[in-house]
Amino acid sequence: MSAATPKHPHPDPLPGRERERTVQVLADLPAVARAAAERFVALARDAAAARGRFTVALSGGSTPRALFQLLAGEPFRSSVPWDRVELFWGDERCVPPSHPDSNYAMVRTALLSRVRVPAENVHRIPAERPPPEAARAYEETLRRAFALRAGEWPRFDLLLLGLGADGHTASLFPESPGLRADDDRLVIAHYVEQLQSWRISLTARVFNHAAFVVFLVCGADKAASLRKVLRASTDPQQLPAQLIRPRLGTLLWLTDREAAALLDEPGG
Ligand code: 6PG
């Protein structure tokens, strides 16, 4: 990040009321990726014009991959001020950056190899390091990039998230130890029993300070969990995606018809 880049940290707790969420049901995965790409372009242009940079936290998964591939081609590629884009990751698998499971590697292949984002604007999670050390290092990266003082939280211009069939989002899994973290950490490393592996994730509190949150949810295997996550009764230990409620931001769910198939059923 250049020294001249404007920064916009935000104190906690945020004032004001939680905004309403919007659920947009589109035909299929390509339509969801297209709607997300259009949103990405619009937010990038606005943020670059207003603040000189566009900060985005990315996630892994097949639905985001379709979005990144789309952004790397026309007409989107030439519509984004890539030199103003600053990329972060919402979560990472604990593997080296060249590993096929790495969320960073996925973004590099789908997007970064095809557009010009300055290397210093790409802030990957150093997940090849021991997990607690990687989480601490990434916390420092965020604090520096957003020039945070004690008690302040980063405010991403855009946060992209997926939803797992088990209700997880980013690397916040049902009953995973990091869900109980109620301190001021921005980044956690935890062992996810279900996966028998370590994951690094930004915390729900960080996600909830984003200005614009987009969930990308496609496929019939997500229908039951999407219905549960969106219903009124909450159980965030079992459905961590319910923790995401940006208090001063916009929450948009982009889903395909298959994932939305159970939303109108009674009892939701
Ligand atoms: C990851 C993710 C994860 C993902 C969901 C949905 O590292 O795997 O960040 O939270 O977004 O599992 O993934 P799909 O889009 O592939 O269903």
Side-chain angles (χ1 to χ4, degrees):
M1 192 188 64
S2 75
T5 306
K7 305 168 180 96
H8 44 108
H10 211 289
D12 187 56
L14 289 169
R17 291 182 37 205
E18 195 177 302
R19 295 237 191 115
E20 277 188 26
R21 66 170 186 227
T22 304
V23 181
Q24 208 175 331
V25 181
L26 297 145
D28 49 19
L29 171 61
V32 166
R34 179 160 292 272
E38 283 163 2
R39 187 67 66 169
F40 188 103
V41 171
L43 290 171
R45 295 169 78 108
D46 285 356
R51 293 180 293 282
R53 70 169 181 166
F54 176 51
T55 54
V56 192
L58 307 172
S59 72
S62 51
T63 322
R65 182 192 293 118
L67 162 64
F68 303 144
Q69 287 167 338
L70 205 58
L71 283 172
E74 298 302 350
F76 300 105
R77 189 167 184 269
S78 324
S79 311
V80 174
W82 292 109
D83 58 331
R84 301 291 167 161
V85 173
E86 202 153 336
L87 297 179
F88 299 83
W89 273 258
D91 74 312
E92 187 55 281
R93 296 104 185 259
C94 291
V95 292
S98 54
H99 194 282
D101 289 346
S102 157
N103 284 341
Y104 164 75
M106 185 273 274
V107 177
R108 194 189 49 210
T109 306
L111 181 65
L112 293 176
S113 58
R114 299 168 63 196
V115 299
R116 282 175 187 273
V117 177
E120 66 272 23
N121 286 6
V122 179
H123 306 280
R124 71 172 183 86
I125 299 177
E128 66 280 18
R129 290 161 70 172
E133 191 184 309
R136 278 196 300 275
Y138 206 54
E139 173 124 5
E140 263 319 296
T141 298
L142 290 176
R143 290 197 179 282
R144 257 200 319 276
F146 286 87
L148 300 180
R149 288 180 305 221
E152 288 181 334
W153 297 79
R155 183 158 173 79
F156 290 104
D157 294 312
L158 173 63
L159 163 64
L160 294 169
L161 289 172
L163 174 71
D166 60 355
H168 83 258
T169 191
S171 281
L172 304 174
F173 285 80
E175 304 280 8
S176 54
L179 293 185
R180 292 185 285 275
D182 60 355
D183 50 28
D184 284 355
R185 266 178 300 169
L186 307 180
V187 188
I188 48 166
H190 55 194
Y191 186 77
V192 180
E193 214 50 65
Q194 299 90 310
L195 304 173
Q196 299 279 294
S197 62
W198 284 83
R199 289 283 185 114
I200 315 268
S201 187
L202 307 194
T203 60
R205 287 179 85 184
V206 172
F207 293 146
N208 284 336
H209 283 77
F212 206 108
V213 179
V214 180
F215 269 94
L216 303 169
V217 188
C218 290
D221 60 318
K222 305 287 172 67
S225 84
L226 183 63
R227 176 167 186 258
K228 283 192 241 164
V229 167
L230 292 182
R231 74 182 166 202
S233 64
T234 56
D235 183 2
Q237 281 295 325
Q238 293 306 323
L239 298 165
Q242 287 183 329
L243 291 168
I244 311 308
R245 303 166 75 178
R247 292 185 56 208
L248 260 195
T250 303
L251 176 55
L252 174 63
W253 290 81
L254 294 177
T255 87
D256 69 353
R257 275 198 214 110
E258 288 186 343
L262 302 178
L263 292 186
D264 294 332
E265 301 235 318

